[in-house]
Amino acid sequence: QSVAAAALAAALAVAVFALVAWWRPAPSALAGGGTPAGTPSGTSASTAFEPGGWPRVLLVLARSGGGTGVHVAGLARWLRQAGAGVRVAAPPDADQAFGLAATGADVRDVDIADRPRPCADLVALRSLRQLAAGSDVVHAHGLRAGALAVLAARARRRRPAVVVTVHNAVPVPAPQRAAGRPGAGAPALREVAVRAAHGTLARIVARGADHVLVVSGDLGDRMRALGARHVERALVPAPARTPVADGATTRARLGLGSRAWLVVTVARLAPQKGLEVLLDALALLRHRPVRAVVAGDGPLRAELAARINRDVLPVRLLGRRDDVADLLAAADVVVVPSAWEGQPLIVQEALRAGAAIVATDVGGVAEVAGDGALLVPPGDPRALAETLAGLLDDPLTAGALRARARARATQLPTEHDAGSQVLAIYRGLAGSRPARRADPFRPSGGQGADTLEARGITDS
């Protein structure tokens, strides 16, 4: 019954969104004269949006497992420092998780779920429509937030420009998981509903957004195929983290001796992260002195813990940690076994830590890692185990890989690069409208960067 209910909810959401999936805005929609876009009738620009600044940007965030929320917080902070007016629409718990209010942005609660919920989606759509009234640009993150942003802007008589950053690919379906593992053999009806909903959301974003940013080349190809006209590679930098403890101290805290090989994975415990494959690979290395830790939490925690206990695997689930930098610095190898990633923050953090990295060759991983990591096929535990064993048996190769990681880290984009990129896009879109009269929203001297050096990431 729960599966049927989930499929019905997804189908209803698809039906609602499909009503406008065919729509493509006319180019003239961004060039109309009269009242500045998004300013409510009878409301002055100086009171329509707080805090002040130009352009006035509404950032939209759905429920996020981590990386997307960190990215939105970084953009909000940089844009406020650059003189933009920033409002963030996000789920009620997002401020506590990502420190949104501390960025100086005006934070409003809008609960956009991570799965189809037709009634809740309509409430969120109404809220976004109201918030969009005071914005020059609405920048949504993720397909669900993006589709709702497109519809909310579409409902305004003078609509703001819409930018959407697509952060994820189609959810990993059950057939891609090996039989016998958690989630294997999930009902086909649910898979069809999820894929249908995802496809409809992607089409709305492709046809309705004025500018689409993507975190990897494969997503860019998909959005162009669906009709997106302006597609660009997003820059999603990892936040800077500095180790507090040295490697020996961290290993001692984990109860590891100097002879143990420490394998570190930092990931949400979810199907996309390929943790079942990691466990399979570690099972093949039973005869080695390997000890693995996984930092993170998520819906698969109980199932993974049961597997670890049943098979007596040398793995500890650490839960959420605030000492990730210490773990990376202490690791002999950092493993990223994901089924898909865009611009994974953990790969960037591991590169900056000078770690020996083994990761799956999926999504944008190769684009981020360059020659600073060893890549293996996704879903192949034997290839992962053999690569791990080769590194652990050969300190010289591991040392050379660490050196390449540190060199690659110097080429990664920064928060300044990411902020400069989106500000240039916002100004380009806002600049296509009639010039505004001088008002206190526009910072003097043109604060913020107008050019972008996309270091280390190239468009496809």
Side-chain angles (χ1 to χ4, degrees):
Q1 293 179 348
S2 61
V3 172
L8 178 60
L12 288 173
V14 169
V16 171
F17 288 129
L19 291 176
V20 293
W22 57 269
W23 171 77
R24 178 188 292 277
S28 60
L30 290 178
T35 306
T39 302
S41 176
T43 304
S44 68
S46 61
T47 59
F49 197 93
E50 295 294 340
W54 184 88
R56 299 172 296 181
V57 181
L58 173 63
L59 299 175
V60 184
L61 175 67
R63 290 196 174 274
S64 166
T68 303
V70 171
H71 177 56
V72 169
L75 288 181
R77 178 171 50 251
W78 191 93
L79 290 167
R80 284 298 297 141
Q81 293 171 354
V86 182
R87 176 173 288 161
V88 181
D93 57 351
D95 182 26
Q96 181 178 0
F98 306 115
L100 297 175
T103 67
D106 176 27
V107 181
R108 303 298 181 92
D109 288 349
V110 177
D111 195 2
I112 302 175
D114 58 356
R115 63 194 63 190
R117 292 177 182 170
C119 293
D121 288 344
L122 290 175
V123 172
L125 180 60
R126 180 181 178 184
S127 297
L128 290 178
R129 180 183 181 278
Q130 294 171 342
L131 293 174
S135 307
D136 299 300
V137 179
V138 178
H139 185 174
H141 292 263
L143 283 178
R144 287 186 53 73
L148 289 173
V150 166
L151 299 183
R154 164 78 164 158
R156 303 300 313 175
R157 186 174 66 88
R158 293 294 182 188
R159 72 175 186 86
V162 179
V163 178
V164 178
T165 300
V166 182
H167 287 268
N168 286 294
V170 179
V172 178
Q176 292 182 9
R177 305 175 203 156
R181 298 200 185 104
L189 179 62
R190 182 170 58 192
E191 299 290 355
V192 171
V194 168
R195 284 184 166 269
H198 190 279
T200 300
L201 297 175
R203 184 167 282 103
I204 291 172
V205 167
R207 295 184 175 186
D210 301 295
H211 205 103
V212 176
L213 293 168
V214 295
V215 297
S216 64
D218 56 337
L219 288 183
D221 292 341
R222 172 169 169 74
M223 297 308 290
R224 290 186 188 94
L226 290 174
R229 294 157 295 163
H230 302 290
V231 180
E232 186 175 344
R233 188 69 55 83
L235 300 180
V236 185
R241 299 186 201 244
T242 303
V244 175
D246 60 29
T249 300
T250 301
R251 293 170 69 95
R253 289 174 180 168
L254 294 172
L256 299 178
S258 60
R259 300 178 65 181
W261 292 339
L262 176 58
V263 173
V264 172
T265 294
V266 181
R268 185 168 182 261
L269 309 187
Q272 175 189 331
K273 300 304 180 179
L275 297 171
E276 300 95 339
V277 176
L278 174 65
L279 298 188
D280 285 346
L282 293 170
L284 297 173
L285 298 174
R286 292 177 187 276
H287 58 292
R288 306 276 187 141
V290 173
R291 298 293 180 268
V293 296
V294 180
D297 210 342
L300 293 184
R301 182 180 180 88
E303 295 166 355
L304 293 171
R307 166 106 191 269
I308 291 167
N309 292 334
R310 183 182 69 246
D311 296 348
V312 196
L313 298 175
V315 184
R316 287 177 58 189
L317 302 179
L318 301 179
R320 294 183 183 274
R321 304 282 291 206
D322 58 8
D323 61 347
V324 169
D326 294 343
L327 294 173
L328 296 177
D332 291 294
V333 180
V334 173
V335 177
V336 182
S338 304
W340 191 87
E341 292 283 357
Q343 289 178 41
L345 301 188
I346 188 56
V347 171
Q348 297 181 54
E349 292 182 54
L351 290 169
R352 289 184 176 131
I357 306 167
V358 177
T360 45
D361 188 5
V362 295
V365 171
E367 301 161 21
V368 171
D371 65 349
L374 298 182
L375 303 183
V376 298
D380 189 339
R382 186 166 298 279
L384 178 56
E386 290 174 353
T387 304
L388 279 174
L391 268 184
L392 296 170
D393 285 339
D394 188 347
L396 290 178
T397 298
L401 185 59
R402 291 176 183 275
R404 295 202 301 271
R406 287 189 288 269
R408 179 60 176 171
T410 65
Q411 302 173 324
L412 295 176
T414 65
E415 190 172 282
H416 175 75
D417 293 330
S420 299
Q421 179 190 38
V422 298
L423 185 58
I425 292 169
Y426 301 161
R427 287 179 168 173
L429 292 172
S432 67
R433 307 168 194 272
R436 297 177 182 272
R437 66 184 183 278
D439 62 47
F441 279 84
R442 186 186 299 272
S444 61
Q447 299 178 43
D450 290 314
T451 59
L452 170 68
E453 180 184 3
R455 297 195 300 264
I457 307 281
T458 58
D459 200 359
S460 59

